[in-house]
Amino acid sequence: MATSSSGAVAAQATPSYLPLALIDKCIGSKIWIIMKGDKELVGTLRGFDDFVNMVLDDVTEYTFTSEGKQTTQLDSILLNGNNITMLVPGGQPPEE
Amino acid sequence: MSGSTAKRNPSDFLKQVLGRPVVVKLNNGTDYRGTLACLDGYMNIAMEQTEEYVDGKLKAKYGDAFLRGNNVLYICAQKTVKK
Amino acid sequence: MSKREGQKTIFEFNRYLNKRVRVKFNGGREVTGILKGHDQVCNLVLDDTEEYRRDPDDPFKLLNETRQLGLVVARGTAVMLVSPVEGMEEISNPFVNVAES
């Protein structure tokens, strides 16, 4: 999959990180995904594609509403990459 | 399912869940539970025996339902339905 | 994709590498972080990232509270604005007292 990004890492002269290469390294470990709205997900990253649609296992979905935090447990999901804002490797769950 | 640690790309996932019971959540929070009949690269989805849940409450049932991909937040393959 | 790869963007993110930048996102989220990397499509790697909390009633109003996110990847598709923090300061509204005096 992310073969193009790992190839680009080698080509890069400066020691700067490539975003998608970093996400590729997260495969198999926990990741925290912050969506555009008031939604966040924490789960184990299994894979992703060019659009950064993501396959996640053992997911906890958090929705922050004015009434408080709402959580949902999900086994295995394909998350649409369209509404992702940020990806946090390691993925601590939101504590509040 | 989560026992395997092999890399699974979105296309692998989609092949795996075809014909199985899924939950599809839309951006507006609506859930659709049913059998995944067919889908494409836009995440357009055709489902069978679909139940529509709004705010967790069953609102409607459809024999066949088509969901346009841009509204899809996620597709969930669940072995067991947790509540 | 391959055609785009060769194309240069007008963004000179290399100038801000290892500097703190402020990033605004489509949807209203806002963070600052130390720029560690970027790619052609504006995906960014930010370290020591702080997200500004938003007013629960008005998600486009920022509170002064922050939360720590650490190392993050920001999606290029969601990025709206990138600006170096150094050299930027928020000023009080210069017009607010004009009517009173």
Side-chain angles (χ1 to χ4, degrees):
Chain A
M1 177 196 38
T3 46
S4 62
S5 39
S6 50
V9 172
Q12 198 104 12
T14 52
S16 112
Y17 297 88
L18 275 172
L20 296 185
L22 192 64
I23 298 305
D24 197 65
K25 281 192 186 169
C26 291
I27 289 177
S29 49
K30 285 270 175 195
I31 192 164
W32 171 17
I33 296 170
I34 302 175
M35 308 293 287
K36 256 177 208 166
D38 291 312
K39 210 180 268 300
E40 297 175 11
L41 299 102
V42 176
T44 308
L45 180 63
R46 290 296 169 213
F48 65 99
D49 64 12
D50 290 349
F51 304 109
V52 195
N53 300 316
M54 306 192 116
V55 180
L56 301 162
D57 281 348
D58 307 319
V59 184
T60 313
E61 176 193 345
Y62 301 87
T63 311
F64 298 93
T65 58
S66 44
E67 294 100 67
K69 185 175 70 176
Q70 190 190 324
T71 67
T72 313
Q73 289 293 331
L74 305 157
D75 275 355
S76 181
I77 68 166
L78 170 61
L79 180 70
N80 194 338
N82 224 337
N83 296 309
I84 296 175
T85 302
M86 281 178 285
L87 306 149
V88 189
Q92 288 86 358
E95 70 296 330
E96 38 162 25
Chain B
M1 195 169 294
S2 36
S4 74
T5 48
K7 201 149 148 178
R8 252 164 54 236
N9 294 341
S11 55
D12 303 332
F13 178 92
L14 292 175
K15 274 180 219 147
Q16 188 188 317
V17 295
L18 253 186
R20 304 179 69 114
V22 292
V23 182
V24 177
K25 197 184 198 91
L26 303 191
N27 288 322
N28 65 16
T30 315
D31 275 336
Y32 291 86
R33 287 166 190 271
T35 310
L36 186 68
C38 187
L39 53 86
D40 64 17
Y42 297 108
M43 275 202 218
N44 294 324
I45 293 169
M47 290 173 82
E48 289 167 350
Q49 290 127 42
T50 314
E51 296 173 333
E52 180 180 60
Y53 290 84
V54 180
D55 295 328
K57 286 187 277 290
L58 182 60
K59 277 283 146 69
K61 289 187 182 185
Y62 308 100
D64 282 318
F66 298 91
L67 301 173
R68 196 166 189 277
N70 64 316
N71 302 301
V72 174
L73 175 66
Y74 63 70
I75 302 167
C76 177
Q78 260 172 326
K79 282 183 286 186
T80 52
V81 178
K82 291 181 208 160
K83 241 310 77 171
Chain C
M1 194 73 174
S2 54
K3 202 174 166 191
R4 274 251 172 254
E5 221 103 70
Q7 203 169 340
K8 272 283 255 177
T9 59
I10 65 152
F11 301 118
E12 287 192 53
F13 288 134
N14 281 325
R15 283 167 59 183
Y16 303 122
L17 273 183
N18 299 309
K19 300 229 165 43
R20 190 163 276 275
V21 292
R22 173 178 286 252
V23 183
K24 288 192 193 213
F25 294 101
N26 191 341
R29 288 189 192 267
E30 207 167 321
V31 300
T32 68
I34 296 164
L35 187 66
K36 289 290 179 186
H38 59 91
D39 65 14
Q40 288 287 340
V41 291
C42 250
N43 292 317
L44 307 173
V45 180
L46 301 169
D47 202 357
D48 262 338
T49 310
E50 283 184 57
E51 180 181 8
Y52 290 85
R53 284 279 166 74
R54 295 177 294 165
D55 196 328
D57 302 317
D58 179 7
F60 292 99
K61 194 177 159 210
L62 295 183
L63 302 175
N64 255 340
E65 274 172 70
T66 59
R67 65 169 174 171
Q68 298 296 325
L69 303 182
L71 184 71
V72 315
V73 173
R75 280 292 287 136
T77 51
V79 170
M80 231 170 57
L81 173 139
V82 182
S83 147
V85 167
E86 203 178 312
M88 173 273 210
E89 83 179 296
E90 191 166 347
I91 61 168
S92 58
N93 188 339
F95 302 107
V96 80
N97 289 323
V98 172
E100 290 168 20
S101 55

